[in-house]
């Protein structure tokens, strides 16, 4: 189906308040999260939102702090849109989509301060590096919200390695300190309609996208994407809807 | 530099500005001879040059679109535009900013008038004192107009942030500069298509309530008019001369 | 971890297995919706997912062959599938394994039925506890069948190795796991086209006599039947459901 | 205008002793240099030669010396031919033109020994790294001479950061030691005519190019470029003309 | 000659027990090895197998051990299929063929334990890094066996630099310890015929390839290559033939 | 190695040569079977191999020129050709040298006879003891002739430098070797199209007066004849044999 026809079909449905998979405009697809799925990882989670599936893992290592934040741990978030997970994705180094997704997930985790990096310093001046890597297993839209849930779940269940005499000992030690929970809700704008948790067909025809990262009823990150635009009213509406979703999303994080 | 005790005190920000006050702003048009259009914009010490080439042949071929032009913004920083030397070449941050800048212009520029071509908007940060992407967006907007590329509207941006005083009270403030970017509690990049009021760019890092955000956005909307007028003035000056 | 005193004692390997015993094996078909075919295979803690796309248009063009499809396997490990984080992206090891996996399938898949196309077999190691390439090969084989791509035979692989007991005596053992891979005296990856018995993949690191190798190979040939049956069973289960 | 016609026009003019922009064969275009144009840089300069404009900045950092020159600072010169500055330039990592230009500028600065690297060692065995980076803002020919002037002007006005307890403190400290002034003059050969400071149209049709780096009336660097050649007499002639230009170029360096 | 015709010709000859260059199925081409060919290298060798020529050099440096093998030296093997050595080879970073060849050579050297890496630790916790790099000079098939001979010969004649006060002194010191000799024999399968030491024309039409790395009558490495397959009997046959070749190959290693 | 007190004393350079004396030079033609033309040149311990392929199809296509061949020289060093291992693959230095070598041949080779093709000249430094690019140029020149590619002239190069004695007096000297390259006051790479005397390559690092340069150049021009004759001799020997 060409993109133009798909867009027309989707818009026709939206005019009647319907989505292509039968959901309401403010409905997420079914979410499930499974943690501890990779024993070798310090923490891991497999997240499904509808048929979108991502796996997120946390690995920790010891390294040098950034010069301007001595004594603070370093949090790094990566994302690979694997060619395995969608016909459209290509092999090779991360493209602009993967980079944006990783940086938006990173932004919500980082700005929500759920990982107290100031507690991740070590006695010898070194610090813990926390690598959070997401891989798409099946990509069917809304990778940011899935990745954010996965990152959060992996961090919350991560157990730190030990560090003795300048060496990392890979035995699960105490839990990684995590002081709260952050989630993200992403909306697509299609011909004036605003719908949450777009699946891939919706993303392929949307005008614009807004991701809202949240913690404790506050907004910690925003990212508008897509070639189109939003009105002031639409943005305010998405804030209200996102904050209502926050509670529901948090239920999936234990 | 240590975190300061306050970013706002006695009605003044660290550089003496009021909450809704802009840094000194300068816009110069036609700064790069070889480009079809170009502009340099300064917001205080932040200085960014933008140049436009195209519509022109597009490489590689697989990017060509039969019904419109591909507009791409390319944001980068000079290695010496920041405190610690930036390694030459775009990193992940630059790739992301280039993407959101590209997207900010695509619904505004009449791309369907130039099928099968490319329009390149180069944005180089000469000196960085925060708000570089928005300064670059404002420069790019002027450069596109200077290049004579048809747009539904000028694109105009401002940043706003959340800062604190010595009592711990917080305030929203427009046009964030470096210490506010680094130590403030939120940092928003925000741009509109002026004629229609559509939001074409929106990014935030930080921690705000919805109400705080809306308050800052209101200040920003007002400040945007000032920026827009400066953009128009700069463009007029060059067309009067030419 | 220090080198253990033995890898085999009282008839048991470190994880309690006998020499010719497989780790617990699981095969799941149709694990990736978007792919034409997919499978997940577990050999003990080693877990690998394979997905097949194609026959489809092939890029870049200079790889296109007029008389057949180009089949390429792409092996990679998740960064957190191993003890020490693996840097994302394929390194030299991954390039070599991708090559031998590609070659293992090329004489078995009916590539001449799909001239000018590409068939991509993605193999991602989710968790690594040795034998990842062979686990991936078995998964890829099932995924190709699940994709409905015609093959002369299922491709089936096992690993075998050479381990030692506390007296220094050595033994051949099938389905090598991590301590045996790391501390054993040899590690063989071995795969056949089941229907014809042709060897399509063979790699070894280590130190064996010809006789030892032949003894291990004999055990492996027997073990292969078990793996093959599991492959078939998994495929049947999915076709019965569908 | 095709390159062949342009070349013919330029040669016809040269036969009458004229250049396409009206200059004499031995005239540089108007030169101006502005220093301190980027406060964040340790030193910086904006150089115009006619409508060619380049910006050069100096950043300093602390690092390890090369193993064969312990105690000596490290000078690194880079050049980016920005896609912004000329329709012909492409984005991406430096190509052979950018690399050659950077290396020729580097050669004049380095061989003239105007920066006494032996004074850039630090007490703890580390040394100052001096990064000189040129970016083209508008490229209209003769980038090497412009870049050399810019590098020289940026170095001469650079103020070193401080270094205390193993940390770089980015406050302007004492001036970077610079013990002399080096400049370069570049000539183009077009059908037997030799002209200084070629603009872009001249470069696009020239046979060959010779850059002569100088200090104190001596030659410190040479680089022949282009697919053509020079005669012995032409080379000797360019030496004389270059050394005469040296004095004029130096006037622009304060 | 198209590949199909070449393949047909080669198979026709093989049916009569003959090879395209007149050799028997179990004959290597003429082998010669010259060591000490590059004075600047710690060890070096130029190997000819027929008209295949490769040069292998050993360089040593001091570096950090791998975290899981403290006190052990590091052996790294690289291979460049130079564009100079064959019309079909392309410039650029190593492709999958070069990577496979390097890794198979590495496997034979490493698994045969001829270089006792545990003796290459240094008092200060650092270790010797041994870089073995092969370059093809003229590529006419069977690069793995040639490279393995070259690596072995270069290692056997390598003299270590000195290491004093944390510095590498590049004067030839004592011999690199080498405790044995490893070689590889590679076979090609073409339409059911198995021939040793394939030249390039044979490789271009072969179904599959098997490399057998050996030390002291034992097998230390195996690598099957090529899109085709081998039968069980063919593999056993190649083992016997390889072990018979081992002795002959060893004669070329002094 | 410490800077030596002198590079010249009692009429002798550190390796015993006179100022205008060449190191032992060897030229071997036809050293790479697969190439259309090839040569190995030794200047003392500096040893460089050059090989020519083409005229042949040129990739990528956008480099093709409708009126002539594209000649490209590709200079590189073996990792073990120098004291400290060189990382494999061309760096900035190699890119620059490849460019000046390419340019040295482009006006001499009859490129217009082979439109739309590419001619590749590979130059590999096997052992480096200074003057590697000029040694490579001399090898490339012979390899091009050996490949039968029509040239207006042989291209011939020498290096010269400025060295000092124990009294601090300086001298010009031809065919620079490592200590003179490293410690001398100037280092010139210089090449001509022999038949016409045109200078096709000229690079210098150092510090010389015009007069010193001219003096060195005069010595070099004389030395060049020697190199040229060796080039011709080597070529003749191969054609007599063939």
């Amino acid at each position: 189906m060409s993109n133009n026809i798909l867009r027309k079909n989707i818009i026709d449905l939206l005019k009647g308040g319907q989505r292509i998979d039968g959901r309401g405009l403010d409905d997420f697809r079914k979410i499930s999260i499974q943690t501890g799925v990779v024993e070798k990882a310090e923490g891991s989670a497999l997240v499904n939102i509808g048929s979108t599936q991502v796996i997120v893992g946390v690995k920790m290592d010891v390294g040098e702090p950034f010069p301007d934040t001595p004594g603070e741990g370093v949090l790094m978030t990566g994302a690979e849109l694997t060619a395995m997970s969608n016909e459209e994705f290509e092999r090779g180094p991360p493209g602009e989509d993967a980079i944006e997704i990783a940086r938006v997930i990173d932004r919500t985790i980082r700005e929500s301060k759920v990982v107290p990096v100031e507690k991740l310093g070590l006695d010898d001046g070194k610090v813990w590096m926390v690598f959070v890597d997401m891989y798409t297993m099946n990509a069917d839209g809304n990778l940011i919200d899935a990745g954010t849930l996965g990152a959060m779940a992996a961090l919350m269940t991560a157990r730190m390695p030990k560090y003795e005499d300048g060496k990392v000992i890979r035995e699960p030690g105490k839990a990684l300190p995590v002081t709260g929970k952050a989630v993200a809700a992403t909306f697509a704008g299609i011909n004036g309609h605003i719908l949450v948790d777009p699946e891939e067909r919706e993303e392929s025809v949307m005008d614009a996208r807004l991701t809202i990262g949240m913690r404790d009823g506050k907004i910690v990150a925003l990212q508008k994407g897509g070639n189109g635009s939003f009105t002031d009213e639409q943005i305010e509406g998405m804030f209200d809807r996102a904050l209502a979703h926050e509670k529901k999303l948090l239920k999936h994080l234990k | 530099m240590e975190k300061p005790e306050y970013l706002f005190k006695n009605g003044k920000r660290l550089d003496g500005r009021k909450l809704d006050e802009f840094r000194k702003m300068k816009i110069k048009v036609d700064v790069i001879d070889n480009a079809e259009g170009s502009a340099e914009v300064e917001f205080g010490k932040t200085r960014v040059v933008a140049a436009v080439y195209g519509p022109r042949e597009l490489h590689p071929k697989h990017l060509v679109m039969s019904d419109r032009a591909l507009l791409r913004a390319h944001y980068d920083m000079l290695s010496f535009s920041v405190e610690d030397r930036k390694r030459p070449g775009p990193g992940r941050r630059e790739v992301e900013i280039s993407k959101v800048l590209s997207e900010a212009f695509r619904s505004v520029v009449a791309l369907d008038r130039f099928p099968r071509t490319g329009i390149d908007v180069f944005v180089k940060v000469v000196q960085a004192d925060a708000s570089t992407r928005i300064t670059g967006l404002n420069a790019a907007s002027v450069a596109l107009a200077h290049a004579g590329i048809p747009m539904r509207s000028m694109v105009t941006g401002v940043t706003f942030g959340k800062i604190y005083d010595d009592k711990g009270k917080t305030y929203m403030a427009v046009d964030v500069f470096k210490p506010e970017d680094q130590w403030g509690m939120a940092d928003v990049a925000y741009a509109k298509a002026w004629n229609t009021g559509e939001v074409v760019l929106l990014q935030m890092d930080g921690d705000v309530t919805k109400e705080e955000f809306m308050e800052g956005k209101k200040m920003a909307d007002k400040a945007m008019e000032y920026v827009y007028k400066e953009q128009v003035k700069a463009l007029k000056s060059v067309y009067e001369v030419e």
Side-chain angles (χ1 to χ4, degrees), chain B residues 31-36 40 45 47 49-51 53-54 56 72 74 76-86 88-90 120 122-124 126-129 178:
Chain B
V31 297
I32 293 182
D33 267 23
N34 286 335
E36 329 265 357
E40 181 177 279
K45 289 186 184 173
R47 188 156 94 248
V49 176
Y53 287 83
R56 61 181 179 180
R72 287 178 297 180
H74 310 283
D76 202 4
M77 308 180 94
L78 304 194
S79 63
F80 47 83
S81 64
V82 281
E83 294 279 304
D84 290 314
R85 176 170 184 266
K86 190 202 158 279
D120 289 298
F122 298 102
V123 175
K124 283 275 184 197
V126 175
Q127 179 151 282
D129 189 17
K178 189 77 204 302

Side-chain angles (χ1 to χ4, degrees), chain A residues 37-44 51 53 55-59 61 80 82-89 91 131-135 137-140 168 170 200:
Chain A
V37 293
V38 179
E39 277 180 58
K40 301 257 165 164
E42 268 69 280
S44 63
S51 73
Q53 185 179 65
I55 187 166
V56 183
V58 171
K59 284 303 287 183
D61 222 321
E80 184 179 322
T82 70
M84 163 186 275
S85 68
N86 193 298
E87 191 163 13
E88 301 294 318
F89 295 170
R91 294 174 59 243
F131 296 94
V132 180
D133 288 309
M134 172 182 94
Y135 293 84
M137 299 303 283
N138 195 68
D140 185 25
V168 176
R170 299 231 169 258
E200 198 203 18

Side-chain angles (χ1 to χ4, degrees), chain B residues 97-145:
Chain B
I97 295 178
S98 296
K99 183 174 190 286
V100 298
L101 289 179
S102 299
E103 292 173 344
F105 286 101
R106 284 186 187 149
S107 66
V108 175
V109 173
L111 298 173
D112 52 356
R113 301 262 296 269
F114 311 103
R116 315 195 64 79
T117 67
I119 297 174
D120 289 298
V121 182
F122 298 102
V123 175
K124 283 275 184 197
V125 178
V126 175
Q127 179 151 282
D129 189 17
S131 304
T132 61
R133 76 193 68 182
I134 286 297
T135 310
L137 171 135
N138 289 320
S141 188
V142 172
L144 280 161

Side-chain angles (χ1 to χ4, degrees), chain B residues 170-241:
Chain B
T170 62
Y171 306 81
M172 302 307 287
V174 298
D175 186 22
V176 166
F177 79 124
K178 189 77 204 302
E180 294 173 344
D181 178 21
Q182 189 170 359
W183 302 114
M185 290 102 136
D187 183 20
V188 183
Y190 172 51
K192 283 185 161 177
W194 180 258
N195 294 348
T196 60
E198 295 158 89
V199 178
V200 293
L201 184 149
L202 179 59
Q203 293 187 289
M204 190 190 84
D205 285 359
D207 189 8
V208 293
T209 63
K210 184 196 153 190
E211 291 66 34
E212 288 169 336
F213 183 88
M214 285 315 195
E215 182 197 335
K217 186 161 167 298
K218 209 166 142 189
M219 290 165 75
D221 282 327
K222 228 179 112 191
M224 226 177 245
E225 184 168 2
Y226 166 63
V227 178
Y228 171 71
K229 285 185 176 160
E230 290 292 318
Q231 289 177 307
V232 171
K233 195 164 74 182
L235 277 165
K236 278 199 179 143
S237 79
V238 99
Y239 284 114
E240 276 160 22
V241 172

